[in-house]
Amino acid sequence: MRTPLIAGNWKMNGSTALINDFGSAFADVSLPEALEIVVIPPFPYLEAARQSFRNTPLQLGAQTLNPNGSGAHTGEVSGRMLQEFDVTYVLVGHSERRELYRENDEQVFDRLLAALHVGLKPILCVGESLAERDAGQTMDVVLRQVGYAMARLEPEQRQQVVIAYEPVWAIGTGRTATPEQAQEVMAGIRAYQAGFSATLAEQLRLLYGGSMNAKNAAELLAQPDIDGGLVGGASLKTDDFYAICQSAG
């Protein structure tokens, strides 16, 4: 059985007050026993979150990392720095990083490798634009992004990766892929892994990351190849995020 994973990506949002609200809201809750929950705040809030989340089921994630271990990289953060704040997961290749900051497949892979080298668990984000979907290129685009990273890893490294499928056209737009559309892509990603190992294909966790919310989470998470969610806007509301986590049971 694959352990469900719900990850909340706050992007460039949040506050110390919101961190404390989450710490209080999740301090004494009833949630599925086999479930991982990760909150991914902006870098400045990692220490506050580490303190506030101590007596909760919430783990910490980071939104990106620099592939270098140290050096003259103003404004950047390394994997070892993230480790000092008890970060366990880190996003790599989020669509906004690819589009706004021009990160290409090679740069995404370098970040993924940097995460693995320091013991962080990378969540590799992949997905197609609306134009690519309309052109019938969804699987070509998604499997190119997946393959560029996974084909270059050692077998034991592949086992540490989580993949989040986030159709770019459904991020922050209020539009959501239907459960059937999401499942089709997830099944294709899982089938691709069988080329490396049947065990990998069975064990790899796949998250859906396109406007998952409290209303649609249960239906999306009921799909056989969707093992969790990479949640955006709904992860900024304690009640909504808690409802999504309950749906993963």
Side-chain angles (χ1 to χ4, degrees):
M1 292 291 293
R2 297 183 294 271
T3 301
L5 171 62
I6 302 295
N9 178 20
W10 287 12
K11 306 186 180 182
M12 199 173 71
N13 298 294
S15 63
T16 303
L18 186 61
I19 290 286
N20 292 334
D21 287 347
F22 267 75
S24 298
F26 281 82
D28 186 19
V29 292
S30 177
L31 289 166
E33 187 172 337
L35 172 65
E36 283 193 82
I37 309 171
V38 181
V39 172
I40 309 174
F43 292 139
Y45 298 120
L46 288 176
E47 176 58 19
R50 177 168 67 163
Q51 298 297 332
S52 186
F53 297 171
R54 276 184 173 170
N55 297 313
T56 76
L58 302 177
Q59 299 182 62
L60 265 181
Q63 296 179 13
T64 188
L65 77 166
N66 190 280
N68 296 283
S70 62
H73 303 284
T74 300
E76 295 294 291
V77 173
S78 73
R80 293 202 181 279
M81 292 175 182
L82 297 176
Q83 275 189 316
E84 291 197 45
F85 293 90
D86 297 334
V87 168
T88 54
Y89 285 88
V90 61
L91 300 179
V92 293
H94 190 279
S95 62
E96 291 158 1
R97 299 295 309 178
R98 293 177 187 264
E99 182 177 0
L100 299 178
Y101 301 101
R102 303 294 187 265
E103 289 183 11
N104 58 32
D105 288 338
E106 182 178 0
Q107 292 169 324
V108 170
F109 175 71
D110 288 344
R111 285 162 169 73
L112 185 150
L113 206 59
L116 290 170
H117 281 167
V118 298
L120 296 174
K121 300 175 184 178
I123 300 176
L124 171 65
C125 302
V126 300
E128 84 284 15
S129 67
L130 181 59
E132 289 165 337
R133 172 165 280 277
D134 288 345
Q137 299 172 340
T138 292
M139 289 314 304
D140 290 340
V141 171
V142 169
L143 294 184
R144 185 205 79 223
Q145 294 171 341
V146 170
Y148 194 96
M150 298 297 275
R152 288 165 171 76
L153 296 177
E154 298 297 328
E156 61 275 11
Q157 292 175 318
R158 294 186 190 114
Q159 297 172 5
Q160 304 302 314
V161 178
V162 176
I163 296 178
Y165 166 57
E166 42 165 22
V168 178
W169 49 271
I171 299 173
T173 64
R175 298 178 59 180
T176 307
T178 66
E180 294 75 20
Q181 287 174 322
Q183 167 58 25
E184 180 182 16
V185 177
M186 297 297 206
I189 295 173
R190 196 174 302 285
Y192 175 85
Q193 311 306 319
F196 301 116
S197 160
T199 300
L200 175 66
E202 177 61 30
Q203 294 181 350
L204 184 71
R205 289 188 293 178
L206 303 178
L207 313 182
Y208 174 73
S211 294
M212 180 180 281
N213 56 52
K215 294 181 179 179
N216 62 29
E219 191 175 10
L220 286 163
L221 293 169
Q223 301 303 307
D225 289 300
I226 299 181
D227 306 312
L230 179 58
V231 185
S235 72
L236 293 166
K237 303 171 184 176
T238 55
D239 290 346
D240 287 5
F241 193 57
Y242 177 63
I244 293 169
C245 292
Q246 285 186 309
S247 299

